[in-house]
Amino acid sequence: MTPSPNDIITLGHGGGGRLMHDLIVNELLAASDVMTERELEDAALIHDGRLAISTDGFTVKPLFFPGGDIGKLAACGTINDVAMRGARPRWIAVAMIIQEGFALEDLRRIVRSIRAACDADGVHVVTGDTKVVGRSAADGIFITTTGVGERFAEPAPSATAARPGDRVLVSGTLGDHGICILAAREELSLGGSQTADGRHILKSDCASLLTLTEAIVGAGGSAVRTLRDMTRGGMSAALNEIAMSSGGSIEIEEVSVPVRREVVGACELLGMSPFEIANEGKLLAVVAPEAAADVLAAIRAHEMGADAAIVGTVGDGRPGRVSARTPLGTSRLIDLPAGELLPRIC
Amino acid sequence: MTPSPNDIITLGHGGGGRLMHDLIVNELLAASDVMTERELEDAALIHDGRLAISTDGFTVKPLFFPGGDIGKLAACGTINDVAMRGARPRWIAVAMIIQEGFALEDLRRIVRSIRAACDADGVHVVTGDTKVVGRSAADGIFITTTGVGERFAEPAPSATAARPGDRVLVSGTLGDHGICILAAREELSLGGSQTADGRHILKSDCASLLTLTEAIVGAGGSAVRTLRDMTRGGMSAALNEIAMSSGGSIEIEEVSVPVRREVVGACELLGMSPFEIANEGKLLAVVAPEAAADVLAAIRAHEMGADAAIVGTVGDGRPGRVSARTPLGTSRLIDLPAGELLPRIC
């Protein structure tokens, strides 16, 4: 009997949007006796809250792209998830599933990228695992990294902690990673993505957010309510998760959100919203109003934060509601992205 | 240009033997600033040695087999690796890479298995990740688990700690998991693997080794030098790794090694050695001679240890040399398995 479409996993289940949220809540949380829908965070606190742990599988295609590769992505992605709970990543475990026939030279490049990204943040690769599967059983290499870090922020930033009146900040332009991957995969020449001499203008923003996080917590202290890196599902997914977890509403000023002109152009071409596109080196911070200006200044003073902006406010409207005020002064709903956005974006 | 066979990954690189060892030592250790060839352990010590962490990717095929499934395997495999360092697993992270079209009902079964295995040992699934890839990009589901545990053994058992005179124990019959998977995959009717009414006699030994480990450390204390679960590459790989790491030699009495008659028969048919076949619920312990009898008694008193035996001794022969005394009284070399044994055995 052929299973009905409702009974099988689709690409949309991995897209970071509504389908993935429902899969996690309805099916996967059953694996745990401690995880709840309300507390789906980037990393979990363990060992009496002194440590944070996060795991992430990386399946990005292509493996090498302007601005990074799967190794850098796998290291930085997990470093960032740990950092979002106000913890300094110290140890990382690397598990690889490799397709038979994979080029050893590509593996070497990936290993060097992991090492370079970890060294830059003082993170130690302490253990690993390698599996090899047949040619038809995987596509290139998949890397799962798990990071453990020591907490330095008190309390730990949490999606549950946003309060009415808090300001919402983003650390830079949105959508660079997703559009870069899409362009590299489809060999699209998106507006401005390459100069005449082949230099890429639109690069992935793939980077560690650790030092930026330290600067934010240094400036804002306990006024830093929530930190979230805007990966799959982009800013829209992050905002909806924070609104759901905190029970607040969030309103964004659309004109305040920084997006590169090339990304706006590509999104118009593709019929996508830059708010829903994945980033790999941008964070969203929810900060108590009295500290928002200081935190914004600290982000802008950081080399990765020149385009940072205050983009919205937490309100006491319908719990979980996220909306944007448009340039015309009207309001539109920002929903959790529906399903498949860009498969294998990370 | 077609890459030469020396420049690509082969199935043998994932087999737990010589090729995998060389890949790790020559290529993958470059990812780390702290790992060394001599200290390749089942789990790494972190947080001033108070915690142990281990990661493992699971790609077993078929996903469901007599005695377990990929969910139970993924939970128990990582629980066991953490336990082998004398640590009690407390927290586990689960990352899934799922093929588009995978049946939700199979996912539910797997999730239930993970939960049941974790609940039995008081382990909490604290975080996870889900990626979905296209139909041609994976085969079913791959699960990477990472476990963190609190150390209770002092000192932590280590492959480096074996000393001349120490006794080598195994906790039960060898090869059950590997032969079961092979039979299930090839739909082989191996001698005695199924009764007339379809009941499987030869089951995977997939199980948690935590309580057995606690019993061993309880009986042997600091006399327990090394613990190793005998997964890919079986007892042969474990013995060679211990001999290399400790700089000792090891001699096994072949007749002392417990192997089920059905496994012996299947191995003869397939031209394999039961010493090289993967187990998923058997451990090898190296114990100081004065405590060996007490530890053996403790293992035999455990429900999983009825077939335990002292199988050999650490010597001061050529460092790294592993040999077996045959029933005829001659000695033969037990090498690290060469390469591909049974792909996707775990």
Side-chain angles (χ1 to χ4, degrees):
Chain A
M1 203 179 76
T2 312
S4 103
N6 292 331
D7 297 333
I8 61 171
I9 297 293
T10 64
L11 286 174
H13 283 111
R18 170 70 59 191
L19 275 175
M20 191 172 94
H21 181 85
D22 291 349
L23 177 72
I24 292 170
V25 170
N26 297 334
E27 309 293 348
L28 303 181
L29 285 184
S32 177
D33 61 339
V34 293
M35 292 172 72
T36 66
E37 176 176 1
R38 198 170 160 259
E39 292 175 33
L40 293 172
E41 307 275 7
D42 282 343
L45 300 184
I46 61 172
H47 202 51
D48 300 326
R50 280 172 285 169
L51 303 178
I53 182 171
S54 180
T55 196
D56 241 333
F58 294 86
T59 63
V60 68
K61 184 177 184 171
L63 298 174
F64 303 91
F65 48 82
D69 60 41
I70 190 172
K72 182 181 182 186
L73 194 61
C76 292
T78 285
I79 286 170
N80 291 348
D81 280 342
V82 171
M84 294 304 102
R85 299 307 304 279
R88 195 170 288 111
R90 290 288 312 277
W91 309 282
I92 202 162
V94 180
M96 298 179 171
I97 297 173
I98 313 177
Q99 182 189 22
E100 181 190 13
F102 193 71
L104 207 51
E105 188 46 44
D106 286 344
L107 184 62
R108 288 191 190 113
R109 280 178 70 186
I110 291 165
V111 164
R112 283 195 297 268
S113 289
I114 293 173
R115 173 69 179 270
C118 288
D119 280 355
D121 280 339
V123 178
H124 308 295
V125 174
V126 287
T127 190
D129 182 57
T130 314
K131 295 290 189 301
V132 180
V133 298
R135 282 171 197 275
S136 59
D139 184 16
I141 186 169
F142 301 145
I143 303 179
T144 298
T145 49
T146 307
V148 177
E150 295 170 325
R151 193 149 65 85
F152 62 88
E154 181 56 44
S158 163
T160 62
R163 296 283 170 271
D166 289 351
R167 300 292 188 267
V168 178
L169 291 74
V170 299
S171 66
T173 56
L174 298 190
D176 299 4
H177 176 75
I179 294 299
C180 160
I181 294 296
L182 193 64
R185 188 186 304 164
E186 308 294 345
E187 296 181 1
L188 284 181
S189 178
L190 294 174
S193 67
Q194 233 174 350
T195 60
D197 60 347
R199 195 163 46 85
H200 288 274
I201 295 178
L202 193 63
K203 291 197 305 187
S204 166
D205 57 353
C206 175
S208 164
L209 293 165
L210 178 58
T211 58
L212 185 61
T213 303
E214 290 172 331
I216 289 171
V217 172
S222 63
V224 180
R225 316 274 205 207
T226 312
L227 294 172
R228 204 87 172 185
D229 63 335
M230 297 175 284
T231 56
R232 279 181 294 177
M235 182 181 74
S236 293
L239 289 171
N240 273 277
E241 288 159 8
I242 293 166
M244 282 189 283
S245 288
S246 67
S249 63
I250 300 178
E251 188 174 60
I252 295 297
E253 284 290 342
E254 217 172 273
V255 293
S256 309
V257 181
V259 186
R260 278 183 213 283
R261 206 180 45 200
E262 299 84 355
V263 171
V264 172
C267 283
E268 283 173 356
L269 197 70
L270 299 162
M272 292 172 155
S273 161
F275 296 1
E276 299 189 351
I277 308 280
N279 312 275
E280 289 293 342
K282 301 287 160 46
L283 61 78
L284 183 151
V286 179
V287 180
E290 65 276 13
D294 287 349
V295 169
L296 179 64
I299 300 177
R300 285 194 172 156
H302 189 280
E303 57 176 344
M304 288 168 59
D307 299 316
I310 295 178
V311 299
T313 309
V314 180
D316 54 5
R318 184 168 63 74
R321 185 178 199 274
V322 180
S323 59
R325 183 173 297 274
T326 70
L328 302 174
T330 60
S331 179
R332 70 181 179 91
L333 201 65
I334 304 238
D335 214 346
L336 198 55
E340 178 191 349
L341 299 163
L342 298 166
R344 300 183 62 185
I345 206 72
C346 61
Chain B
M1 203 178 77
T2 311
S4 103
N6 292 331
D7 297 333
I8 61 171
I9 297 293
T10 65
L11 286 173
H13 282 111
R18 169 70 57 190
L19 275 174
M20 192 172 93
H21 180 85
D22 291 349
L23 177 71
I24 292 170
V25 170
N26 298 334
E27 309 294 345
L28 302 182
L29 284 185
S32 176
D33 61 338
V34 293
M35 293 172 72
T36 66
E37 176 176 1
R38 194 165 164 263
E39 292 175 33
L40 293 172
E41 307 274 7
D42 282 344
L45 301 184
I46 60 172
H47 203 50
D48 301 325
R50 280 172 286 169
L51 303 177
I53 181 170
S54 181
T55 196
D56 241 333
F58 295 86
T59 63
V60 67
K61 183 176 185 172
L63 298 173
F64 303 91
F65 48 81
D69 60 41
I70 191 171
K72 183 180 181 187
L73 194 61
C76 292
T78 285
I79 286 170
N80 291 347
D81 280 342
V82 171
M84 292 305 102
R85 299 308 304 279
R88 194 171 289 109
R90 291 286 312 278
W91 309 283
I92 203 164
V94 180
M96 298 179 171
I97 296 172
I98 312 176
Q99 181 188 24
E100 181 190 14
F102 193 70
L104 207 51
E105 188 46 44
D106 286 345
L107 184 62
R108 288 190 190 112
R109 281 177 70 187
I110 291 165
V111 164
R112 283 195 298 267
S113 289
I114 293 173
R115 174 67 180 270
C118 288
D119 280 356
D121 281 338
V123 178
H124 308 295
V125 174
V126 288
T127 190
D129 182 57
T130 313
K131 294 289 188 303
V132 180
V133 298
R135 282 172 197 274
S136 60
D139 184 16
I141 185 170
F142 301 144
I143 304 179
T144 297
T145 50
T146 307
V148 177
E150 295 170 325
R151 194 149 64 85
F152 62 88
E154 182 56 43
S158 163
T160 62
R163 296 282 170 270
D166 288 352
R167 300 292 188 267
V168 178
L169 291 75
V170 299
S171 66
T173 57
L174 299 190
D176 299 5
H177 176 75
I179 295 298
C180 159
I181 295 297
L182 193 64
R185 188 186 304 166
E186 308 295 343
E187 295 180 3
L188 286 181
S189 178
L190 295 174
S193 68
Q194 234 175 349
T195 60
D197 61 346
R199 196 163 46 85
H200 288 273
I201 296 178
L202 193 63
K203 292 197 304 187
S204 166
D205 57 353
C206 175
S208 164
L209 293 165
L210 178 59
T211 58
L212 184 61
T213 303
E214 290 172 330
I216 289 171
V217 172
S222 64
V224 180
R225 315 273 206 207
T226 313
L227 294 172
R228 204 86 172 187
D229 62 335
M230 297 175 284
T231 56
R232 279 181 294 175
M235 183 181 73
S236 294
L239 289 172
N240 273 278
E241 288 160 6
I242 293 166
M244 282 189 283
S245 288
S246 67
S249 63
I250 301 178
E251 189 173 59
I252 294 297
E253 282 290 342
E254 217 173 273
V255 294
S256 309
V257 181
V259 187
R260 277 183 215 284
R261 206 180 46 199
E262 299 84 355
V263 172
V264 172
C267 283
E268 283 173 357
L269 196 70
L270 299 163
M272 292 172 157
S273 161
F275 295 1
E276 298 189 350
I277 308 279
N279 312 276
E280 289 292 343
K282 301 287 159 45
L283 61 78
L284 183 150
V286 178
V287 180
E290 65 275 13
D294 287 350
V295 169
L296 179 64
I299 300 177
R300 285 195 172 154
H302 189 280
E303 57 175 345
M304 288 168 60
D307 299 316
I310 295 178
V311 299
T313 308
V314 180
D316 54 6
R318 183 167 63 74
R321 184 178 200 275
V322 180
S323 59
R325 182 173 298 273
T326 70
L328 303 174
T330 59
S331 179
R332 69 179 179 92
L333 200 66
I334 305 241
D335 214 346
L336 199 55
E340 177 190 348
L341 300 164
L342 299 166
R344 300 184 65 184
I345 207 71
C346 62

